[in-house]
Amino acid sequence: VDSPFRLQTWLSTFSACLHSSSCRLFFPEDPIKIVRGQGQYMYDEQGAEYIDCINNVAHVGHCHPLVVQAAHEQNQVLNTNSRYLHDNIVDFAQRLSETLPEELCVFYFLNSGSEANDLALRLARQYTGHWDVVVLDHAYHGHLSSLIDISPYKFRNLDGQKEWVHVAPLPDTYRGLYREDHPNPAEAYASEVKRVVSSAQEQGRQIAAFFAESLPSVGGQIIPPAGYFPEVAEHIRKAGGVFVADEIQVGFGRVGKHFWAFQLQGEDFVPDIVTMGKSIGNGHPVACVATTQAVARAFEATGVEYFNTFGGSPVSCAVGLAVLDVLEKEQLQAHAACVGSFLMELLGQQKAKHPIIGDIRGVGLFIGVDLIKDEATRTPATEEADYLVSRLKENYILLSTDGPGRNVLKFKPPMCFSLDNVQHVVAKLDAILTDMEEKVRSCETLR
Amino acid sequence: VDSPFRLQTWLSTFSACLHSSSCRLFFPEDPIKIVRGQGQYMYDEQGAEYIDCINNVAHVGHCHPLVVQAAHEQNQVLNTNSRYLHDNIVDFAQRLSETLPEELCVFYFLNSGSEANDLALRLARQYTGHWDVVVLDHAYHGHLSSLIDISPYKFRNLDGQKEWVHVAPLPDTYRGLYREDHPNPAEAYASEVKRVVSSAQEQGRQIAAFFAESLPSVGGQIIPPAGYFPEVAEHIRKAGGVFVADEIQVGFGRVGKHFWAFQLQGEDFVPDIVTMGKSIGNGHPVACVATTQAVARAFEATGVEYFNTFGGSPVSCAVGLAVLDVLEKEQLQAHAACVGSFLMELLGQQKAKHPIIGDIRGVGLFIGVDLIKDEATRTPATEEADYLVSRLKENYILLSTDGPGRNVLKFKPPMCFSLDNVQHVVAKLDAILTDMEEKVRSCETLR
């Protein structure tokens, strides 16, 4: 294993190679034209097969025949709005409720995770009578105006921070304020939320909600320390706000142990609002907001109806039901736990071998590989991550990066991702990292 | 024909009947459970066939086999996000561009009309550097936070009007400020917009956009006088804002004469942004924003990407293309013109016969029947409209009301609505109105 010093040397040399036209290691990538998808595979025009490690929308696998069939059967019969009664919407709500704590028993159906988070915001404001929102740093909650306002990942590059938005530190125990060596990072990060709330209140602001992805993804595949959410919820509820768990990227069994990622935070923890999207329809535009009767009643009390043209249509609900059927029938939640553990294990071996790997974190099939330039500073190895991703693409493996430093490889594949896929992908990763190390050494020799 | 006086008498008697438990004319409606749809028909659990006069989402007919087939074929092959190249998205944008003025050549694909209007708002603000919006009174532009803010129909019942929203009078020549007797209502209503803009500017506000449905529907199936939009656009552009035409309810050939309803306003009139939804996917969640290169470039210049998980997927685009194919193949635009004219003609005959009908207005298959209590005051006959709709439902005709007074019967049926349907529906309408008149007479006799 290379020492920290050696690591830094080869990485800085490597970066120089990347930008030197003579070395030609880094080339502008051609975008891929994908024409077909099946299970965890995608196929380009030439018929080349790619392993898809990133598409958490194709949750039960690209073009799953049971989901496709369910859509087709319902499309042939009826697809209209929820102004008419239909069994599918009732069945779908019923099935979803079986996966959730019983308090979360009211469901709104929509077309996208963004629509779901926007409705969550409206529900929170109506219920609490407050306006302000606390979010985690680097968070992304959607592409709508209202959500860009609560997404530091976006608003830092646009209009800036609104006076009603308050940013708490990301509970990142690898790069954040409190790290793996802290005795109680959950409490420490929750105290930061409390501090943010108090400071807002001192300015006369009132908190409507705390929004967080149950596992912050754009933030860099972060696994908040267990117990963090319950403590945050306590602080937020004391301030009169509600807790919104954004499960758009991570729900529906992806974390393996549980059906919902917020359940990793403690068996008894219940958010006030849960938002769902992406995976819920395996690519069909469906989304959902689940909440308590109390929140729903406050929303109804305005007397203003909530109507969503496509939301909760018989087709959307048929598709959602089929996804739940497949998850059960193919035991994909248990599968994600098993395959995810194996991937974590093999990646752990790679970490021991390749010093560019600073951290491996994850649960189920939601895993991040944090690439660093230096063990001491943990400086993000952004260009190296980018290069690695393009080399993997040449090897027909689709992976991408995330995190503020765009240096975290993110694994969030279709849930049918197999043990063989794990072995194949990690072997390629190993080979490319080894090759990168060798190229650096030969670059050094040439100098 | 009854005199205004007689009309008022029987209507006030009729209203009394509605609320009197002895007369039992008005009963709380059971919601319908629809299990099947085909063309312009919907079927309930017992197999009863309803004529659908209102569903403008099922644009080319419920469950149109070509659209269903297109969705199924693409669903079986690939449904993923627009981070990969795909022919469908290019083809769909190309086909849409052929229907629009050439300036509108950049397309964003999304999942709902609401998402489209929210993006339009972002585009307008980014391009102009201004924040404020001028909207028409009673307008509805969607269910998202940002759109409720610009929808007087909603915000009047909720948080009230934001300081950045300015409301111009609805260009309603039947009930509005300037009516059918005004020499130039287009200019007069446009001057009102100019006045609203000036007043906003005097308060130091800057206008980003004017939003209007090309034919305001929630406002009461309004047909703005031709020439109104071009004049408004002039005032708005002079103030540094852009013109957004919301075609979500009325686009895609519904108006018959033209493919887009804004084209009724003058052949040369070009909005800066056009938003599409509902009909575009015949029920599949698809939406689109079309704009100019200048607007799109300003948006790109922020460097912040716009990504929409489901938007522009191969399936959504395949469905959109199929809808365009069917519109062409079945010549539904010309059909809408023909059937709509016939419906206008027959409704006109009813107006001459039944004094409760105050106004018939429309174009193509977008028609409003304005029911009044009194010819002089044009007071909305709200309860009578409600009663009429429930009687029509008993007769297996699905119609609904709109407008601030909820007294305007709105016709916006699937585009395959036939001449036979017109005759049947108008005959039933005639029979029910006649029966209502008779009931009132017998109520009067009883007193």
Side-chain angles (χ1 to χ4, degrees), chain A residues 185-237:
Chain A
E187 189 191 20
Y189 278 116
S191 293
E192 290 292 325
V193 174
K194 189 182 176 188
R195 186 185 54 73
V196 167
V197 169
S198 300
S199 146
Q201 287 175 325
E202 278 159 25
Q203 297 156 49
R205 314 290 320 180
Q206 293 182 305
I207 306 300
F210 173 83
F211 267 75
E213 282 190 280
S214 298
L215 302 173
S217 49
V218 168
Q221 304 284 97
I222 305 300
I223 317 293
Y228 169 68
F229 279 6
E231 286 204 47
V232 168
E234 209 181 307
H235 300 317
I236 290 293
R237 285 170 185 155

Side-chain angles (χ1 to χ4, degrees), chain A residues 32-33 35 37 55 72 77 79-80 85 87 112 115 118 122 143-145 148 154 278 283 305 308-309, chain B residues 32-33 35 37 55 72 77 79-80 85 87 112 115 118 122 143-145 148 154 278 283 305 308-309:
Chain A
I32 316 178
K33 187 165 172 185
V35 298
N55 202 324
H72 189 49
V77 174
N79 189 22
T80 190
L85 301 177
D87 289 341
S112 67
E115 286 193 356
D118 184 82
R122 289 183 60 196
H143 56 70
L144 299 166
S145 311
I148 288 166
K154 288 282 179 189
K278 293 196 191 281
E305 76 160 352
N308 187 307
T309 298
Chain B
I32 316 177
K33 188 166 172 184
V35 297
N55 202 324
H72 189 49
V77 174
N79 189 22
T80 190
L85 301 177
D87 289 341
S112 67
E115 286 192 354
D118 183 83
R122 290 182 61 197
H143 56 70
L144 299 167
S145 311
I148 288 167
K154 288 283 179 188
K278 291 195 192 285
E305 74 160 354
N308 187 308
T309 298

Side-chain angles (χ1 to χ4, degrees), chain B residues 62-118:
Chain B
H62 289 281
C63 305
H64 194 290
L66 291 186
V67 179
V68 171
Q69 194 53 33
H72 189 49
E73 277 168 18
Q74 188 58 53
N75 260 323
Q76 290 172 289
V77 174
L78 181 70
N79 189 22
T80 190
N81 63 49
S82 54
R83 290 206 191 274
Y84 305 102
L85 301 177
H86 199 278
D87 289 341
N88 287 9
I89 193 167
V90 182
D91 292 348
F92 191 31
Q94 178 60 37
R95 286 284 294 279
L96 286 171
S97 79
E98 287 161 15
T99 69
L100 285 161
E102 58 182 347
E103 294 92 325
L104 298 166
C105 58
V106 182
F107 298 85
Y108 299 87
F109 294 103
L110 322 87
N111 310 301
S112 67
S114 286
E115 286 192 354
N117 278 339
D118 183 83

Side-chain angles (χ1 to χ4, degrees), chain A residues 321-386:
Chain A
L321 282 163
V323 170
L324 292 176
D325 284 344
V326 173
L327 280 169
E328 255 183 54
K329 211 173 276 183
E330 302 182 5
Q331 300 187 38
L332 290 176
Q333 186 181 327
H335 180 80
C338 163
V339 176
S341 291
F342 185 55
L343 180 51
M344 285 289 282
E345 190 193 321
L346 294 204
L347 288 171
Q349 292 167 9
Q350 294 299 309
K351 180 174 181 297
K353 194 170 165 190
H354 303 289
I356 192 177
I357 301 181
D359 190 34
I360 308 284
R361 52 183 175 258
V363 53
L365 282 172
F366 179 87
I367 293 170
V369 180
D370 197 317
L371 302 184
I372 55 168
K373 285 188 193 289
D374 174 277
E375 264 189 54
T377 61
R378 299 182 177 178
T379 306
T382 308
E383 287 163 325
E384 293 79 2
D386 201 35

Side-chain angles (χ1 to χ4, degrees), chain A residues 15 159 224 274 305 433:
Chain A
S15 294
D159 306 318
V274 173
E305 76 160 352
L433 286 177

Side-chain angles (χ1 to χ4, degrees), chain A residues 10 28 31 59 65 79 199 269 339 350 397 430 440:
Chain A
W10 86 250
H59 192 57
N79 189 22
S199 146
F269 174 64
V339 176
Q350 294 299 309
I397 293 167
D430 185 15
V440 169

Side-chain angles (χ1 to χ4, degrees), chain A residues 49-199:
Chain A
E49 179 183 273
Y50 291 81
I51 301 181
D52 183 355
C53 303
I54 44 177
N55 202 324
N56 57 348
V57 176
H59 192 57
V60 299
H62 289 280
C63 305
H64 194 291
L66 291 186
V67 178
V68 171
Q69 194 52 32
H72 189 49
E73 277 169 17
Q74 188 58 54
N75 259 323
Q76 289 173 290
V77 174
L78 180 69
N79 189 22
T80 190
N81 63 50
S82 54
R83 291 206 191 273
Y84 303 103
L85 301 177
H86 199 278
D87 289 341
N88 288 9
I89 193 167
V90 181
D91 292 348
F92 191 32
Q94 178 60 36
R95 286 283 295 280
L96 286 172
S97 80
E98 288 161 14
T99 69
L100 284 161
E102 60 181 347
E103 294 92 325
L104 298 166
C105 58
V106 182
F107 299 85
Y108 299 86
F109 294 103
L110 322 86
N111 310 303
S112 67
S114 287
E115 286 193 356
N117 279 338
D118 184 82
L119 178 60
L121 188 60
R122 289 183 60 196
L123 290 168
R125 284 175 169 168
Q126 196 62 47
Y127 176 65
T128 63
H130 297 172
W131 195 259
D132 288 23
V133 175
V134 179
V135 290
L136 294 178
D137 207 359
H138 307 297
Y140 177 61
H141 292 292
H143 56 70
L144 299 166
S145 311
S146 60
L147 304 178
I148 288 166
D149 284 345
I150 64 166
S151 298
Y153 164 70
K154 288 282 179 189
F155 73 61
R156 294 215 197 283
N157 301 308
L158 288 166
D159 306 318
Q161 190 166 342
K162 294 283 199 305
E163 75 288 356
W164 53 269
V165 177
H166 312 283
V167 180
L170 193 62
D172 174 351
T173 53
Y174 182 66
R175 296 182 178 285
L177 277 178
Y178 311 106
R179 300 190 176 182
E180 64 280 359
D181 55 351
H182 191 281
N184 193 344
E187 189 191 20
Y189 278 116
S191 293
E192 290 292 325
V193 174
K194 189 182 176 188
R195 186 185 54 73
V196 167
V197 169
S198 300
S199 146

